Amino acid sequence: MAAHSSTVAESRLYPSVQVHQTVPVGGKLDKGVGSGKGLPVGAFEVSRTKRVLQVGVATVYCLLAAGVVFGYAALKPVMIKEGVYRGLCTDNEIEKGVHVCYEQEIRLNFMFTVAAVATNVCALLVGAILDQYGPRVSGVIGSVLFAFGCLGFGFAKQIHQVDPYPISYLLLALGGPFIFIPSFHLSNAFPTHSGLVLSMLTGAFDSSSAIFLLYRIVYEKTNGRIGLHQWFLGYLVVPAFIFVVQFFLMPARSYKTVVELVRQAEVEEELLEEDSDYEIDDDEIHVRREHREAVIGEIDYLLGGKNALEESERKREKRHESSGVWGAMHGRPAMQQVGSWWFVLIAMFTIIQMTRINYFVATVRPQYVYLLHSYSKAVKINEFFDIALPLGGIIAIPFIGLLLDRFSTLTILSFLVALAAVIGALGVVEDSYTAAIVGIIGFVAYRPFYYTAISDYTAKVFGFKTFGKVYGLIICLAGLFNFSQAGLVALTFGVFKKDPRPVNLGLLLVAVSVGVVLVLYVWRSGRRIKRHRLGLEAMSAEPILMPGGSHNGYGGV
């Protein structure tokens, strides 16, 4: 998900521009962005203090709710101690004193699988509602869904008609994107600091997985007196807070992007020159000129001045050129883009990697029980993982942006495949506590880097005009394929007698194979793109183009 590098920021800041029209008091058609219902608002129209509060509050509630379901590895031990699904264990398993029986493990992991799938798939729905009704409505929906999830866990023992746990966890998972995704537009509240705002929101999302770690600590410190019932009913204060601030603080409409602000400034300047062509009273012309000059001044101030904007554009163009794949499929219809190898290969790689990531999160403790042949050591590894997962996301954010800005897409993808191979290899090493710790550190650093690199690739290759459709489809497909986790868990515990190595090796081989093909394709296509650009530069330097000459395209399949 969940968004994060400079290019991802640009995809939020530089979408296709739609210029809305309104008719001002004078009756003349205004080509600027209007203030109609649902249309974006300029950040300069809202006080700086209020915008700061909006960013701060959004960061807080994203920390408390956006990605809590990914803290499943910390919640799972509590649910086991609370006896959730213990009634499914056989008499033989109970007599042996197994910590988690087969059916119990399957049911608990299925709960997380459904949540992980829903989090990714519902991103398309969130985007549609956000575009149609604005961030406030999306935030309200998210708070209500999250509240019902808390209520489901709080009264789970009183519900007998249906299994309340997967439904409740699903509602928590659905609430997360409705709360998190609408907050992205707040980066436009401070255009010159958009990267910082996005990093704060992303860091809050990554850190939210620590909420269940906090609960597990509280549960253990109180010897189980604060059970699932007490915790989740008390946690209802969070969705209630999110619901209230949507109406009293958060914006109902998204903030305008940089492109929309620049366009508005240009239109205001054009209208200053055109006023004299209309039969309007001199006093009205004076008032309108003062208003437009003030708007232009506010926009320039918000953007850091015209020179700062031009410098930002130059840096952006330099990053695009160094990526090696920028523009490969820009301007193509979405259907043609998703039918290309550019899409097919990155979608396959994403599907496999997301499945590996979520399978590991769901089974981290039983995996290391087998690999280390010690339940106590596996518990320590699980505890280390619970702390490292949120911290890894926060620590990695600035380094991820630096890597994506400095290295080509080919280099980034090569590094992703190589790191995936190393982490996968560490996941099959037996009787090595060091290998387990190194593998965990690699995993928590790889996870945010992988998600960000995929969105960065999508923006650079397919462009911002179709970014939402293409990236949403990639994540949606990956989410749907995550249902295979149930089969992987069944293989691990049923066929392979709790041995995770066959599944890990299988996923590793498929991931590396697809990754190598992807890297080779990007390398070959990147060379073709470079030759094409050099050819265009050579042609533009010639004074005459021969009759019948044409420029061939590139990047298609």
Side-chain angles (χ1 to χ4, degrees), residues 21-31 271 274-275 277-281 284-285 288 292:
Q21 297 180 330
T22 59
V23 180
V25 177
K28 175 183 168 185
L29 184 64
D30 189 341
K31 293 177 285 184
L271 291 175
E274 294 176 5
D275 270 339
D277 297 335
Y278 293 83
E279 296 180 0
I280 304 175
D281 183 78
E284 184 178 347
I285 290 177
R288 291 170 67 169
R292 286 170 183 150

Side-chain angles (χ1 to χ4, degrees), residues 367 370-371 427-430 492 498-506:
Q367 281 204 42
Y370 186 93
L371 292 173
V428 296
V429 176
E430 279 193 279
T492 302
K498 299 184 180 181
D499 183 355
R501 292 174 299 173
V503 171
N504 284 338
L505 279 173

Side-chain angles (χ1 to χ4, degrees), residues 44 61 175 240 278 282 296 359 458 479:
F44 61 87
Y61 66 58
Y278 293 83
D282 289 343
I296 293 170
Y359 168 73
T458 306

